[in-house]
């Protein structure tokens, strides 16, 4: 044994010898003793390092290939694709797999008016421009790229600290959402005056707070992304491409909304050049309609005061529903000689201007309720600019506020396309009710006009008026057009919604509703093949009218209901229409109730001015 140990000790260093199997020692010694072909076996450490190097090399090659593919897509910026900069300051949250419809920020769902419609751009300064281009680019990602990124996910190289930080912010944000008021908001109000809609303003303030949280989150995320990029050994371009704003973590559920906000495809004429206004349609009912101009004081009444709508008795109201030669109350009623004005006073020059209008597009802003939004001028033809009157009614307070914000009238009294007409001595203290005057009584304000288009001040017109008239009225022979409601179709539902959101005094709403039920109003049955309307609830922010006798009568009747009961005109629409049809079975009222998605195709929705901003503007004027 001693001899064997001595012989084994004489071997060269590095030779591998099996000491546990003596029978093979001599053979291995003899092989290693051959000086002409020495054989060295690699150690496990060397093998591991070689394998690791090969793995890293393959990883870098794959990473470089992916980076080149992403860089080629970025180079397509000249073709209209915006570059997604990973260092851009974005306020958009994308928990989960960010791009496309999965994991999108819920603000894209409930923005109205605003996202739904993708109409809302009010206070656009809260959104960095790179956010909108990034969102547009995300929608254009190919299916192959989404699969490469993990089903449209981010693939950003976050370290464990970054992942934990993202999870923390995600959990805080979801907890804040749980604290929100679950009360359903009436996102499309029925008119342009929303001074008492506290629910909407609370939602607006909460949305602004969320935007601030989004900004803080984006800064934190930028720091995490930068740390992750610095941790990589190479491929900086690839890291920038992969880390361009995608977030990891659990998916964030979007808010549930009542409708998708999509618009309809509408086949308008390509041009107004060959458009010819039709002659009066012979199928429209013909009768003479006159209006009460002056009311005398009753002898037996000592506390009688003149009213803008007059003092219509229930018997006079019942008789007014007959489509026949008659004289009815329809606003602008004056008291006896020597009585004070009943309101809605206009300058003589403005009255003469309105008498010259053949087609009128009108809106109103009272009580600083909205910003002024000019129709999209690129889509308004020269012919319409010449033949159509664009009239915006407002009070002096609103005009002063607009002037202080830089929107001033020119020498002709215009701001953009709008001819500004200032109304003095408002007939009601409720600004919502004041707004019903130009909304329903266009035939009184524009006595020579043959057609009119009304849009609430929260809407911006995005189609030529002549094409609108041709599409909604002339093409199929209608004399009145209004869209149905986007969600509710029965007056019973509308009553509950108005009371739920405290839109008006509950007792008065109940009185009005009970009165209508006693007079025969029934629940809407969508399955009824003989139903006269596709819905009993309109979305009344956009109305297209021909000033025919039947159309004018309906407008007067609807205004009188709003004046007698509540200014929530959606409650009285169906009752007024059905009663008019019932009273005149042989005289058809050709009303076109079109889909609300068509209204969203031709108008853009904005939010009303915030309540606190209205008050600040009012105080600044004092």
């Amino acid at each position: 044994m001693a001899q064997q140990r001595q012989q084994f000790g004489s071997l060269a260093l590095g030779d591998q010898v099996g000491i546990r199997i003596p029978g093979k020692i001599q053979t291995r010694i003899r092989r290693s003793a051959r000086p002409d072909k020495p054989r060295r076996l690699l150690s496990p450490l060397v093998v591991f390092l070689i394998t690791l190097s090969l793995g890293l090399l393959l990883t870098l090659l794959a990473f470089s290939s992916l980076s080149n593919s992403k860089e080629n897509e970025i180079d397509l910026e000249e073709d209209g694709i915006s570059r997604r900069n990973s260092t851009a300051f974005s306020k958009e949250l994308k928990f989960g797999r960010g791009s496309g419809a999965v994991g999108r920020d819920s603000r894209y769902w409930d923005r109205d008016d605003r996202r739904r419609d993708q109409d809302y751009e009010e206070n656009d300064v809260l959104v960095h421009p790179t956010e909108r281009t990034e969102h547009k680019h995300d929608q254009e990602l190919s299916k192959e790229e989404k699969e490469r990124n993990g089903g449209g996910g981010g693939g950003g190289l976050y370290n464990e600290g970054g992942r934990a930080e993202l999870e923390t912010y995600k959990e805080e944000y979801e907890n804040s959402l749980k604290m929100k008021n679950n009360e359903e908001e009436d996102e499309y109000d029925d008119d342009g005056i929303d001074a008492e809609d506290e629910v909407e303003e609370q939602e607006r303030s909460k949305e602004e707070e969320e935007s601030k949280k989004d900004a803080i989150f984006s800064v934190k995320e930028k720091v995490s992304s930068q740390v992750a990029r610095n941790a990589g050994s190479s491929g900086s371009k690839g890291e920038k491409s992969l880390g361009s704003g995608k977030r990891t973590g659990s998916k964030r559920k979007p808010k549930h909304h009542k409708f998708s906000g999509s618009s309809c495809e509408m086949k308008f004429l390509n041009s107004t050049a060959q458009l010819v206004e039709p002659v009066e349609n012979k199928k429209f009912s013909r009768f003479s309609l006159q209006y009460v101009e002056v009311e005398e004081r009753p002898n037996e009444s000592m506390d009688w005061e003149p009213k803008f709508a007059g003092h219509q008795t229930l018997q006079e109201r019942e008789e007014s529903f007959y489509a026949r030669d008659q004289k009815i109350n329809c606003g602008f009623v004056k008291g006896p000689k020597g009585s004070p004005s009943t309101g809605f006073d206009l300058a003589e020059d403005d009255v003469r201007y309105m008498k010259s209008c053949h087609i009128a597009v009108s809106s109103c802003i009272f009580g600083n309720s909205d910003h002024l939004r000019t129709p999209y001028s690129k889509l308004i033809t020269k012919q319409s600019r010449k033949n159509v009157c664009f009239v915006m009614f407002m009070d002096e307070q609103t005009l002063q506020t607009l002037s202080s914000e830089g929107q001033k009238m020119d020498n002709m009294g215009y701001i953009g396309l709008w001819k500004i007409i200032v109304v003095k001595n408002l007939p009601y203290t409720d600004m919502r009710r004041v707004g019903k005057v130009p909304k329903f009584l266009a035939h009184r304000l524009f006595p020579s006009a043959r057609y009119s288009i009304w849009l609430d001040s929260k809407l911006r017109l995005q189609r030529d008026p002549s094409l609108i008239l041709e599409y909604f009225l002339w093409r199929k022979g209608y004399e009145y057009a209004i869209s149905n409601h986007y969600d509710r179709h029965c007056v019973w539902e509308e009553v509950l919604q108005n009371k739920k959101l405290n839109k008006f005094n509950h007792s008065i709403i109940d009185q009005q509703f009970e009165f209508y039920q006693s007079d025969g109003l029934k629940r809407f049955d969508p399955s009824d093949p003989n139903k006269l309307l596709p819905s009993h609830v309109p979305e009344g922010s956009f109305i297209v009218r021909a000033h025919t006798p039947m159309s004018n009568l309906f407008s007067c009747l609807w205004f009188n209901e709003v004046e007698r009961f509540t200014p929530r005109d959606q409650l009285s629409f169906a009752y007024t229409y059905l009663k008019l049809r019932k009273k005149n079975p042989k005289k058809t009222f050709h009303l076109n109730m079109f889909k609300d998605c068509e209204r969203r195709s031709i108008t853009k929705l904005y939010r009303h001015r915030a309540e606190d901003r209205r008050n600040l503007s009012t105080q600044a004027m004092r």
Side-chain angles (χ1 to χ4, degrees), residues 292-456:
V292 175
E293 300 287 348
V294 179
E295 242 183 7
E296 297 296 334
R297 178 193 297 270
N299 295 329
E300 65 277 6
S301 178
M302 299 300 296
D303 56 352
W304 183 90
E305 292 183 359
K307 291 175 55 179
F308 178 79
H311 298 77
Q312 187 184 51
T313 65
L314 288 177
Q315 182 61 33
E316 291 172 340
R317 173 186 177 274
E318 189 72 17
E319 294 294 327
S320 67
F321 277 86
Y322 289 100
R324 60 190 180 188
D325 296 348
Q326 62 172 325
K327 192 174 187 178
I328 64 172
N329 287 50
C330 192
F332 301 97
V333 179
K334 299 178 182 179
K337 188 175 182 179
S339 299
S341 171
T342 54
F344 215 87
D345 298 336
L346 305 174
E348 293 184 2
D349 290 343
D350 292 335
V351 172
R352 283 195 295 268
Y353 172 79
M354 290 188 292
K355 285 182 179 180
S356 68
C357 298
H358 181 69
I359 298 175
V361 175
S362 62
S363 185
C364 72
I365 306 175
F366 294 114
N368 277 329
S369 61
D370 281 292
H371 297 282
L372 181 66
R373 301 178 179 94
T374 302
Y376 192 50
S377 57
K378 292 184 179 180
L379 296 178
I380 309 299
T381 62
K382 293 182 179 179
Q383 179 181 353
S384 291
R385 291 169 185 259
K386 178 181 178 181
N387 299 329
V388 177
C389 298
F390 294 87
V391 175
M392 175 65 69
F393 297 94
M394 62 179 61
D395 57 347
E396 293 178 294
Q397 172 189 326
T398 301
L399 180 60
Q400 292 177 13
T401 300
L402 294 176
S403 298
S404 67
E405 295 173 346
Q407 291 184 298
K408 298 183 179 181
M409 292 190 300
D410 59 20
N411 296 333
M412 300 296 292
Y414 286 86
I415 299 180
L417 288 178
W418 290 118
K419 169 67 173 176
I420 304 301
I421 294 184
V422 179
V423 181
K424 297 182 180 180
N425 188 23
L426 302 182
Y428 307 102
T429 57
D430 181 2
M431 297 296 104
R432 188 188 308 276
R433 202 183 295 270
V434 176
K436 306 305 178 184
V437 176
K439 178 174 182 176
F440 294 137
L441 305 184
H443 61 289
R444 301 296 315 273
L445 292 166
F446 304 94
S448 301
R450 190 177 177 190
Y451 302 98
S452 65
I453 298 173
W454 166 264
L455 66 155
D456 284 359

Side-chain angles (χ1 to χ4, degrees), residues 471-493:
Y471 183 85
F472 288 108
L473 299 183
W474 303 345
R475 189 174 297 186
K476 295 185 178 180
Y478 289 110
E479 53 189 323
Y480 198 102
I482 188 171
S483 68
N484 60 20
H485 198 272
Y486 58 89
D487 181 60
R488 296 181 292 279
H489 303 288
C490 182
V491 181
W492 270 252
E493 298 172 352

